[in-house]
Amino acid sequence: IDPLTGNRVLLSVFAAAVLGGLGSAPGAVLGALIIGVAEELTVLVAAPAYRSAIGFLVILIVLTIRPAGMFGERS
């Protein structure tokens, strides 16, 4: 058992929640699907080390364009 187990997955999970909207469970599921597919397709065009960068890019883009996420409510 390692205390750092799951750190790579944590970024992807957070990016999926931000993409779908923090208060929306269906949005988080759709966000997870989109993030997962995007990470796997990144491996086809770039080195596998860049897989984690997709999560950072998604968080940056979504928070810039639509801070509430895809299914989040606007305040």
Side-chain angles (χ1 to χ4, degrees):
I1 296 175
D2 184 20
L4 299 177
T5 301
N7 274 348
R8 194 191 83 68
V9 177
L10 187 64
L11 175 65
S12 298
V13 170
F14 183 68
V18 168
L19 178 62
L22 290 175
S24 172
V29 170
L30 183 61
L33 180 67
I34 293 170
I35 294 291
V37 169
E39 285 182 350
E40 293 303 318
L41 290 178
T42 301
V43 176
L44 294 174
V45 275
Y50 292 115
R51 178 184 284 174
S52 297
I54 292 299
F56 285 117
L57 287 174
V58 167
I59 291 172
L60 179 70
I61 291 169
V62 169
L63 289 179
T64 302
I65 295 173
R66 188 169 164 96
M70 292 187 323
F71 294 108
E73 297 178 10
R74 287 193 160 170
S75 55

